Amino acid sequence: MLYYITGNKNKIDVAKKFLSKYDISFIPKDLSALELQSDSIEEVVIHKAKDAFLKLNKPLFVSDHFWSIPALGGFPGAYMKHINKWFKPKDLLNLMASKKNRQAILTEMLCYIDKNTMKTFKQSHTGTVLKQSQGKGFVGFTVISLTKDGLSVAQKIEKDPSALEEDKLWEDFAKWYKDLK
């Protein structure tokens, strides 16, 4: 059996949607995996996968999101989870007030691990830090747009809960996993 180490219902729903197309089932497991803080998403995800595998000793995968704003030196990176606790949308917008480069990059990564294999999958989306907060939700979701229509990630999700599906990431993983089995 394959395990997905997360307690995040949205992540579970996205994984089910994509993996079911390939007849891949998994068991969600809210396992407290140690999350390394680093400016490298690869280090964070691989470390989390290895830690979870040491605890569970079963085939599993983990996923994570990493936000990078070049005008802020790559901030917040792996710290977005903490930023959502510490900041309000206005705080992040204030950091960007004088910046001309408003580019934001969302990188998503998935790591599979079992006793013999470890494999990562990665996808990035480039967007823009908006001038004002739009919608409700996590700080990054309300102040960043990843589409040309200028809607925030939060607004896109409000209209369509599957708006941020990591289609290439999940499809690459599913095809690879089917070949592995």
Side-chain angles (χ1 to χ4, degrees):
M1 182 44 66
L2 177 63
Y3 290 85
Y4 184 13
I5 308 303
T6 186
N8 183 317
K9 183 186 176 325
N10 292 333
K11 284 184 175 184
I12 293 166
D13 290 345
V14 169
K16 280 181 182 175
K17 180 177 180 181
F18 279 101
L19 298 182
S20 67
K21 293 177 189 176
Y22 294 87
D23 295 319
I24 298 171
S25 60
F26 63 88
I27 297 172
K29 180 90 171 151
D30 192 2
L31 181 69
S32 184
L34 184 61
E35 194 166 321
L36 178 72
Q37 296 302 305
S38 168
D39 60 359
S40 164
I41 190 170
E42 289 86 0
E43 286 181 17
V44 170
V45 172
I46 289 169
H47 188 271
K48 186 172 20 173
K50 287 179 177 179
D51 185 62
F53 186 75
L54 283 173
K55 291 175 180 173
L56 192 61
N57 200 29
K58 305 269 185 201
L60 62 86
F61 62 99
V62 300
S63 67
D64 214 334
H65 295 76
F66 193 93
W67 291 92
S68 176
I69 301 172
L72 299 177
F75 179 81
Y79 300 100
M80 197 61 186
K81 180 178 179 180
H82 300 292
I83 294 305
N84 285 314
K85 291 179 189 174
W86 302 330
F87 280 30
K88 295 192 178 335
K90 185 76 173 153
D91 297 324
L92 189 55
L93 292 173
N94 285 340
L95 289 174
M96 291 297 295
S98 66
K99 307 295 184 190
K100 290 182 180 157
N101 176 3
R102 300 189 71 82
Q103 182 184 52
I105 303 160
L106 170 62
T107 303
E108 300 154 332
M109 192 161 183
L110 185 146
C111 182
Y112 169 88
I113 189 169
D114 64 26
K115 64 181 180 176
N116 300 313
T117 307
M118 184 173 64
K119 174 86 172 150
T120 60
F121 301 85
K122 185 175 170 181
Q123 177 178 342
S124 293
H125 306 275
T126 301
T128 305
V129 177
L130 301 168
K131 299 273 185 179
Q132 62 184 18
S133 177
Q134 300 176 22
K136 296 178 183 173
F138 298 116
V139 172
F141 281 15
T142 65
V143 300
I144 295 174
S145 174
L146 295 174
T147 57
K148 294 180 187 205
D149 61 12
L151 293 177
S152 71
V153 173
Q155 289 173 308
K156 285 295 217 186
I157 290 172
E158 286 168 15
K159 284 185 172 189
D160 176 8
S162 63
L164 284 185
E165 292 173 350
E166 303 90 356
D167 52 354
K168 182 174 176 2
L169 181 84
W170 287 104
E171 287 178 15
D172 288 351
F173 170 65
K175 289 174 185 174
W176 174 84
Y177 185 74
K178 287 300 268 190
D179 287 343
L180 180 69
K181 297 296 156 195

